[in-house]
Amino acid sequence: MAEAEQPERRDREVTIDDVRQLMGASTPHFAMQLRNRIRTLIRGLPRDHPARVLGEQEIARLERLGFTGEVRGTPEQDGVRPLPSVGEDEQPRYVPGATRG
């Protein structure tokens, strides 16, 4: 995912809709890239600016999402077992494959 900003945003003040546009695609896989884009987007806005307030809230949510992920499936759903998310204490694992390393 590119972290480059949309050119039309450079010539106007950041809005809440700009932040929401970035928030819409948030998944654990892209959480850190989205966090960085929102951080860049709201940089320089006053602390009480509505877009900055929303952006800072979203940055906190994306950091939680990126490190703890999401759980899919619930015991209430027939035949669907929950898929665990990677936790903060999860250690990287080596999986043998085509590459050596």
Side-chain angles (χ1 to χ4, degrees):
M1 167 181 278
E3 291 190 19
E5 192 49 68
Q6 293 182 1
E8 64 272 7
R9 285 193 186 134
R10 289 188 211 143
D11 300 327
R12 61 176 174 76
E13 184 174 334
V14 176
T15 67
I16 288 176
D17 286 337
D18 293 329
V19 175
R20 286 182 179 150
Q21 183 180 31
L22 291 175
M23 291 167 50
S26 57
T27 65
H29 186 74
F30 292 114
M32 297 296 104
Q33 292 91 339
L34 292 169
R35 176 202 60 186
N36 294 344
R37 289 186 69 188
I38 291 172
R39 185 176 285 149
T40 300
L41 183 68
I42 64 173
R43 186 183 318 140
L45 293 176
R47 288 217 176 275
D48 61 344
H49 191 286
R52 182 169 185 152
V53 171
L54 179 62
E56 289 174 350
Q57 291 170 355
E58 183 62 10
I59 287 169
R61 187 187 71 81
L62 288 167
E63 287 179 346
R64 286 190 307 273
L65 181 64
F67 287 109
T68 61
E70 62 186 354
V71 177
R72 296 183 186 169
T74 64
E76 296 82 33
Q77 294 173 329
D78 288 335
V80 178
R81 67 179 175 89
L83 298 175
S85 292
V86 175
E88 291 179 9
D89 299 326
E90 180 91 12
Q91 294 296 312
R93 289 171 276 183
Y94 172 74
V95 178
T99 61
R100 303 208 184 264

